[in-house]
Amino acid sequence: MTSCRICGGTVQEFFDFGRQPVSDAFIDPNGGNTEFFYRLTVGHCTTCSMVQQLKEVPRDRMFPGDYPYRSSGSAVMRKHFAATADRFLATELVGEDPFYVEIGCNDGILLGAISRAGVRHLGVDPAESAVEVAREQGCRVRSCFFEEATGAEIRAAEGPAQLIFSANTISHIGYIESIFAGADALLAPGGAFVFEDRYLGDIVEHAYFDQIYDEHFYLFGVRSVQNMAQRFGFELVDVEHLPVHGGAMRYTTARAGERAPTPAVAEWLASEEKQRLAEPEVYTEFGARVEANCRALVELLTSLRAEGRSVVGYGATSKSATVTNYCGIGPDLIPFICDSTREKQGRLTPGARIPILPPDAFSDPYPDYALLFAWNHAEEVMAKEQAFREAGGRWILYVPDVHIV
Ligand code: SAM
Ligand code: TMP
Ligand code: ZN
């Protein structure tokens, strides 16, 4: 029996992906062979409804100084965060000398815009090499993990923050109580702690099982975030569904009683009731869909290989670690994955050890099929790779079910 990291309640396991590597720990083919593996299992708290993993990977293994993910690799995400910055500059960051703090700023995809607007800011992110890119754009960044003590230190050194923001990071942090304590220490009276992460409702509805990997320790929903905020002295006062990464939710929290909740909170709670997101049967059904999808994907790849068709992967995403390692897809079925991230090229994918090549390799020559691991960027990738389709190529997708387009 595992206790909930948020409320201490009982976590009921609903899926076991087995032995999995650290999803962003790409392997140097000339380096050593030691890899960290852990058991990736997910469950659902019967008290506060938070979906979470049962085992946790140490944070330094997931987010080392040379963490290879770069947020700015997608034009759609650059646009999304530029719009987010504009919104904050017009709403939360008004008044005299506002101060903005971002947890997990990575390469400065959003922080750069705040910096260019001349607003006082500070990014906090332990990924030293990513943070260098942010600094080159003029951003101020501390390369460390944000936690309770960090919030208090920043407050003492720079004063209170009107806005603390974090994208695709808070759900990665098992020790979330410490994050809220740090936010409480740092936030100005009336300020907001806003975060956005993949949305549980979308993951369940579309069987986006590969959104489950080491970094996504929690799968947030409106109800579970509302319970969590309340437990840590905050209140969920607004939610906004976002179309990025296959469906995300932006949660605005404030100290309890400081802001009136918008109707969107109650609307999304009602939507989750309708979707039965607090009920165990939903997760049993989800598990059955995952198994069926994975079986169908391996069958498809095996039969294409038997027919002599070429298939390569597109996008060495963290998500692909779950797919390849759970399904047992290695270089025999997918000889390589192409990816535009320089830091990933020339490496092997964790666990499955599929070589990663630059995008040029994709057209040299085009394969018959491309398995789109970066399905959350499908529109952007397919628009960029129109010549592949024109050459007769087809995309294979494995969510919400296995299909070819
Ligand atoms: N915000 C970016 C985005 O949305 O694309 C980056 C997301 S990336 C998946 C998560 C980032 O959070 C990494 O750069 C990682 O180093 C950072 N991170 C993880 N734990 C953190 C913590 N406790 N404090 C600050 N940053 C953290
Ligand atoms: P993400 O789904 O976690 O954002 O990761 C997307 C991965 O796909 C990242 O490694 C960059 C890669 N990618 C490409 O190779 N080409 C592209 O056009 C896009 C948008 C992403
Ligand atoms: Zn709980």
Side-chain angles (χ1 to χ4, degrees), residues 5 15 94 109 116 125 127 144 150 160 221 233 264-265 288 341 365-367 396 398:
R5 284 297 301 266
F15 204 83
V94 289
I109 188 168
R116 284 188 291 278
D125 194 314
C144 65
T150 334
V265 176
T341 316
Y366 281 124
I396 300 173
Y398 50 83

Side-chain angles (χ1 to χ4, degrees), residues 4 7 45 48:
C4 172
C7 78
C45 175
C48 75

Side-chain angles (χ1 to χ4, degrees), residues 54-175:
L54 280 78
K55 299 222 177 328
E56 200 177 341
V57 174
R59 65 184 188 179
D60 306 282
R61 285 202 181 267
M62 288 192 285
F63 306 112
D66 61 353
Y67 179 67
Y69 183 71
R70 296 292 177 271
S71 304
S72 297
S74 154
V76 169
M77 292 313 296
R78 290 197 296 274
K79 211 166 138 196
H80 167 73
F81 285 122
T84 305
D86 284 347
R87 164 98 71 90
F88 288 153
L89 289 166
T91 54
E92 304 288 346
L93 298 173
V94 289
E96 205 182 311
D97 191 27
F99 180 39
Y100 169 82
V101 174
E102 186 172 331
I103 304 172
C105 62
N106 198 269
D107 61 5
I109 188 168
L110 195 163
L111 195 61
I114 303 287
S115 163
R116 284 188 291 278
V119 168
R120 206 152 57 82
H121 65 275
L122 183 68
V124 183
D125 194 314
E128 185 63 55
S129 56
V131 154
E132 260 323 299
V133 182
R135 290 199 182 110
E136 280 160 17
Q137 308 177 46
C139 297
R140 287 183 64 237
V141 187
R142 273 195 190 206
S143 45
C144 65
F145 288 94
F146 185 91
E147 57 195 357
E148 182 171 5
T150 334
E153 277 166 36
I154 297 172
R155 163 77 185 233
E158 316 214 16
Q162 276 63 40
L163 173 64
I164 303 172
F165 177 70
S166 188
N168 306 305
T169 302
I170 300 303
S171 67
H172 301 31
I173 299 176
Y175 49 98

Side-chain angles (χ1 to χ4, degrees), residues 6 50 176 180 193 195 221-237 251-256:
I6 305 294
M50 182 64 83
I176 211 157
F180 273 92
F193 174 28
F195 49 94
V222 174
R223 179 173 151 157
S224 58
V225 168
Q226 185 184 50
N227 287 337
M228 172 173 79
Q230 191 180 11
R231 193 166 185 89
F232 300 141
F234 279 68
E235 188 175 359
L236 180 63
V237 295
Y251 305 94
T252 301
T253 69
R255 283 196 194 87

